[in-house]
């Protein structure tokens, strides 16, 4: 699947993945979701209150700031290298069990693409649904 | 499975997962372990010396402290938002290969539920054992 | 497989995993890669420009420095406890989809063993290729 992004932040993709699982008719197994880039991530995060995600964004701005003076890899701007590091810290894949034909997410869990670049991007996501 | 927790820290669950794998009679494949919450994690960590896990706990208190002034999402107390961030940094799932009917863990690797909340919790963990 | 390391840094293993996938003749599925240690990691990272990985190494030296005064677990030297924490932050496994018989990596993604110890190490990596 493809997810368009328009700046830093988290973009919910739970429903698209849920639909892929439903279409597969697999009742029990796993779904692997893998974003094919090095400057955005996949995260599972609190899905009800947007303030939790706002705080998450602010925390990452503080943990991996754009103005670290020793960065060399800054060809694409100040958000270049921080994007790679934020991706390494949060990961580019998730594996979620499927139970009774649906994602085994907890009540408050949502799946989000975490965009680390300032500019608009078209993000490609590989998905593999496997049954047992 | 369910894991009861009584405050912040790491709770070893290696043996329960090993038992599930043994019960499945699968000799080769993977086991996916997924905690269905947004304020605790799963981590693989040094399993022999408890001081390593004590240092880990202390480090996360320092990396994501409870008193960050810009946090908005603090309805459930000072450990609310730090729990979500610690979970994003450490992840809610692990996928471990199965070789010869047993978890392919290294000598010093153990699987732990990493609880980020202060209060007692009942944590649900989804498990999927898949053979090839 | 085994990867020899000679000090801190990232060691590319994309080609070895790609070969395993090709040898399996599996056209669609996943490959799980799992490093059986608690002081090194697996990461997916920018694979073209070495400066990105140099900046990554420098960042982790800063994020989890060797001289944190409260560390107790330092029997094997100042890089002992930081190694465990860096491993928890970056993870010891990756799951990558297989599409058309090849790893579904993006153009700029490479798979690297991230060594956190100063001394030379022999690192064991378990690999499980699964088809659907």
């Amino acid at each position: 699947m493809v997810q368009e992004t328009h700046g830093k932040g988290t973009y919910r993709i739970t429903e698209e993945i849920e639909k892929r699982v439903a279409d597969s008719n697999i009742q029990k197994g796993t779904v692997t979701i893998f974003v094919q880039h090095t400057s955005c991530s996949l995260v599972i995060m609190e899905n009800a209150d947007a303030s939790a995600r706002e705080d998450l964004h602010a925390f990452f701005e503080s943990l991996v700031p754009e103005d670290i003076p020793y960065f060399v890899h800054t060809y694409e701007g100040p958000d270049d290298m921080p994007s790679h590091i934020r991706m390494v810290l949060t990961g580019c894949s998730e594996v979620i069990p499927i139970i009774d034909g649906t994602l085994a997410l907890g009540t408050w869990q949502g799946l989000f693409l975490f965009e680390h670049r300032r500019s608009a991007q078209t993000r490609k996501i590989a998905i593999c649904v496997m049954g047992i």
Side-chain angles (χ1 to χ4, degrees), chain A:
Chain A
M1 65 173 275
V2 163
Q3 176 70 42
E4 304 290 339
T5 64
H6 42 88
K8 292 182 181 186
T10 41
Y11 298 79
R12 180 164 162 157
I13 61 170
T14 318
E15 287 69 20
E16 287 85 342
I17 305 303
E18 192 72 82
K19 186 171 183 317
R20 293 295 185 100
V21 170
D23 289 349
S24 75
N25 280 320
I26 286 173
Q27 295 301 301
K28 191 170 182 180
T30 62
V31 55
T32 300
I33 311 108
F34 185 94
V35 66
Q36 297 174 300
H37 303 273
T38 60
S39 55
C40 65
S41 318
L42 291 179
V43 294
I44 288 173
M45 181 61 188
E46 217 276 1
N47 68 4
D49 177 17
S51 72
R53 292 187 286 126
E54 293 299 321
D55 286 351
L56 180 74
H57 307 160
F59 180 80
F60 271 87
E61 290 298 320
S62 164
L63 185 69
V64 194
E66 292 199 347
D67 57 355
I68 291 182
Y70 59 73
F71 281 162
V72 173
H73 184 87
T74 55
Y75 313 118
E76 297 182 11
D79 59 334
D80 186 351
M81 194 58 219
S83 295
H84 296 311
I85 293 174
R86 293 173 191 188
M87 179 273 203
V88 165
L89 285 169
T90 50
C92 65
S93 69
E94 294 286 349
V95 180
I96 305 173
I98 301 167
I99 299 177
D100 297 335
T102 189
L103 293 174
L105 292 173
T107 307
W108 307 106
Q109 288 181 318
L111 178 62
F112 297 87
L113 187 147
F114 193 0
E115 178 60 68
H116 305 306
R117 299 306 305 267
R118 291 164 171 262
S119 58
Q121 305 285 336
T122 301
R123 299 307 199 174
K124 291 182 286 185
I125 302 170
I127 302 165
C128 183
V129 187
M130 304 182 86
I132 65 172

